[in-house]
């Protein structure tokens, strides 16, 4: 049993032809199912939880990276298969998963190549892709030691399924670890050249569990989770191994 969830931004007229092609293709491939078109007032998480209770076996979200991450956070440890049809928008997760855009992704859904991948828990929530911290003014604590990032670091990413900050390679969502990546600007000498906006990875580490805290007990530091949810320190982050079943393409990057 398939359930298709179309994100609310797809109500715009410019997407009508694309959606028509998708609906035609899933019918041709005999993978059609119920279609829910979200409104801005509806919660994708609540719809998914209700669908899981009803026994839906495969949920396919149609939209962008945010759509996919929101769906994934609601499906951790559910045993239900998650598919993704990315629409025209820029989507790095679709590239990592080996998914073409628009109606071409229907072929991948039909082939049904399923991988068990990790997710991660952050306090009482789950995330799929990454956590971004736009400051070095934090403390990272592991069961073994504590990390105090250098002040020159201008971004820290805690990644489960994402591209690395220099665009070379991806984090592995099957290794039972999250990656903590420290990024700093390129040197002032190189800043005179055309690649002045580029940044480089300073270093990265692998962890199963990590705590993020502010050095000042009463000052909370905001972090961006999966590009849509904002949480504040203190945070406890822990990998949840093989907790999601995801349809991938043959060209996946992991």
């Amino acid at each position: 049993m398939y359930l298709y969830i179309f994100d609310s931004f797809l109500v715009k007229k410019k997407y009508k032809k694309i959606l028509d092609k998708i609906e035609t293709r899933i019918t041709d491939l005999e993978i059609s199912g119920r279609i829910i078109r979200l409104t801005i007032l509806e919660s994708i998480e609540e719809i998914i939880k209700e669908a899981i209770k009803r026994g839906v076996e495969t949920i396919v979200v149609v939209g962008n990276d945010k759509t996919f991450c929101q769906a994934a956070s609601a499906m951790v440890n559910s045993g239900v298969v998650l598919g993704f049809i990315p629409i025209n928008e820029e989507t790095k997760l679709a590239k990592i998963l080996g998914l073409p855009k628009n109606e071409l992704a229907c072929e991948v859904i039909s082939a049904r190549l399923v991988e068990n991948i990790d997710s991660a828990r952050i306090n009482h929530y789950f995330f799929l892709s990454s956590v971004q911290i736009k400051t070095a003014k934090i403390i990272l604590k592991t069961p073994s030691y504590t990390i105090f990032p250098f002040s020159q670091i201008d971004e820290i990413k805690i990644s489960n399924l994402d591209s690395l900050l220099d665009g070379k390679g991806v984090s592995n969502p099957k290794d039972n670890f999250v990656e903590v990546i420290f990024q700093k600007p390129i040197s002032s000498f190189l800043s005179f050249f055309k690649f002045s906006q580029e940044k480089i990875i300073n270093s990265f580490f692998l962890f199963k569990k990590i705590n993020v805290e502010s050095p000042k007990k009463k000052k909370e530091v905001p972090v961006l989770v999966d590009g849509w949810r904002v949480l504040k320190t203190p945070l406890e982050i822990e990998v949840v191994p093989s907790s999601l079943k995801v349809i991938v393409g043959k060209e996946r990057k992991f």
Side-chain angles (χ1 to χ4, degrees):
M1 179 190 298
Y2 284 82
L3 171 67
Y4 292 85
I5 302 177
F6 289 43
D7 205 340
S8 58
F9 75 86
L10 298 174
V11 298
K12 295 179 181 178
K13 187 176 180 180
K14 66 179 181 178
Y15 296 113
K16 186 179 185 308
K17 289 183 179 179
I18 296 172
L19 299 186
D20 287 345
K21 289 180 180 179
I22 290 172
E23 292 185 48
T24 298
R25 196 69 191 116
I26 62 177
T27 299
D28 292 343
L29 293 167
E30 298 182 346
I31 53 171
S32 59
R34 183 186 176 198
I35 293 176
I36 295 178
R37 303 176 192 275
L38 292 178
T39 69
I40 58 174
L41 300 178
E42 291 178 304
S43 164
I44 189 172
E45 292 98 333
E46 292 303 318
I47 288 173
I48 286 174
K49 288 176 182 178
E50 184 60 33
I52 291 171
K53 288 180 183 177
R54 294 198 313 268
V56 171
E57 297 174 350
T58 303
I59 296 174
V60 180
V61 293
V62 184
N64 54 24
D65 282 350
K66 177 182 174 182
T67 319
F68 184 63
C69 288
Q70 287 179 321
S73 69
M75 293 176 63
V76 173
N77 288 327
S78 69
V80 176
V81 175
L82 173 61
F84 181 27
I85 298 177
I87 304 300
N88 276 347
E89 313 291 325
E90 284 295 321
T91 164
K92 59 184 175 182
L93 293 185
K95 293 178 181 178
I96 294 172
L97 295 167
L99 303 174
K101 65 182 181 180
N102 302 336
E103 72 276 7
L104 296 177
C106 297
E107 307 288 341
V108 178
I109 302 299
S110 177
R112 203 177 173 81
L113 176 59
V114 177
E115 286 281 356
N116 291 304
I117 66 172
D118 305 334
S119 65
R121 180 181 58 80
I122 179 166
N123 288 358
H124 303 298
Y125 301 95
F126 293 100
F127 72 93
L128 173 65
S129 181
S130 62
V131 175
Q132 290 176 285
I133 308 168
K134 295 288 188 178
T135 178
K137 295 179 180 179
I138 61 165
I139 299 171
L140 302 173
K141 294 183 177 180
T142 76
S144 303
Y145 50 87
T146 300
I147 301 172
F148 298 88
F150 290 113
S151 59
Q152 293 92 338
I153 300 296
D154 66 353
E155 181 175 341
I156 299 167
K157 179 187 279 189
I158 300 174
S159 177
N160 175 63
L161 175 68
D162 207 341
S163 57
L164 298 180
L165 291 171
D166 63 353
K168 298 177 181 177
V170 300
S171 49
N172 184 357
K174 293 174 66 66
D175 62 0
N176 298 345
F177 289 96
V178 291
E179 293 179 353
V180 180
I181 307 163
F182 298 97
Q183 177 183 267
K184 66 180 181 179
I186 60 174
S187 69
S188 58
F189 173 76
L190 292 177
S191 67
F192 287 102
F193 297 92
K194 64 179 181 178
F195 300 113
S196 60
Q197 298 305 310
E198 288 188 356
K199 298 176 181 179
I200 61 171
I201 290 177
N202 183 36
S203 55
F204 71 89
F205 303 89
L206 298 175
F207 298 105
K208 291 183 179 292
K209 184 176 182 179
I210 193 165
N211 289 76
V212 182
E213 301 176 4
S214 167
K216 298 180 180 179
K217 295 292 184 182
K218 295 184 179 180
K219 186 174 182 180
E220 298 175 326
V221 176
V223 305
L224 183 63
V225 183
D226 273 350
W228 69 279
R229 192 196 300 273
V230 177
L231 298 177
K232 294 182 179 180
T233 56
L235 301 167
E236 181 180 82
I237 299 173
E238 184 175 14
V239 68
V240 186
S242 301
S243 51
L244 283 168
K245 294 180 179 294
V246 177
I247 297 176
V248 299
K250 293 181 180 179
E251 302 301 320
R252 63 191 181 281
K253 306 300 182 183
F254 56 87

